[in-house]
Amino acid sequence: MRKIRASPKGPEFIKYLHEFVSESIGEKGLNVLLSMGDGATDEIIEQKTKYKIAEIRSLLNHLHSYGFVEYTREKNMQNGWFTYTWKSNRDRSMQNFLMIKKKEVERLRSGISSEEGAVFYKCTKGCSRMNFDFAMEHKFRCPTCTKDLKYLDNKEELKRAEIRIKAIQKILESKSALATIENGFSPKI
Ligand SMILES: [Zn+2]
């Protein structure tokens, strides 16, 4: 097998990772992640982002549940409180990202194969969508609101799905993705 020597922390990796974080947590989540550097406490993140501390904690929990960040905690012996230091967990983030993208491709592919060549009808109000047999059974009227059913051209939808698959495949076949897989791709999510 061909040996891939790309660094899983190269600029391409970072770009996908940032897109993934902002898709899953939002722009504010990404800003919190970017403010951490090599390690930061809640207070440092607060100074850098100017977000409210309650919002930062909620974003941190969110980031942690996705595996984007990890933390260490230290007990203050005088008051007994814990100080949390956060930093990003890039390898796990990238693994989760690749897993989700692979699932998306599978979902799109099975969607395409079940829709290709099929004829669909849609309620003009948008409350139902069905195949030809079902539409005929209902005399081409919506079973929910009784409005007329209209022939639905799904060619554009299929084309969009194909384009999306190609875009994801480009990511999955990128050097940084392959390097991440080689460096221990484990389907943990
Ligand atoms: Zn309807």
Side-chain angles (χ1 to χ4, degrees), residues 106-118:
E106 279 166 28
R107 208 179 56 240
L108 287 166
R109 283 217 175 105
S110 78
I112 288 173
S113 67
S114 69
E115 297 237 339
E116 236 165 10

Side-chain angles (χ1 to χ4, degrees), residues 123 125 127 142 145:
C123 162
K125 264 179 74 186
C127 39
C142 174
C145 72

Side-chain angles (χ1 to χ4, degrees), residues 111 114-132 135 140 148-158 160:
S114 69
E115 297 237 339
E116 236 165 10
V119 175
F120 286 97
Y121 284 82
K122 196 182 161 191
C123 162
T124 43
K125 264 179 74 186
C127 39
S128 62
R129 181 183 192 276
M130 63 199 76
N131 64 23
F132 178 78
F140 297 96
D148 286 343
L149 293 174
K150 226 180 98 190
Y151 170 71
L152 176 74
D153 188 1
N154 63 358
K155 275 195 201 73
E156 277 303 310
E157 245 173 86
L158 291 173
R160 274 200 298 274

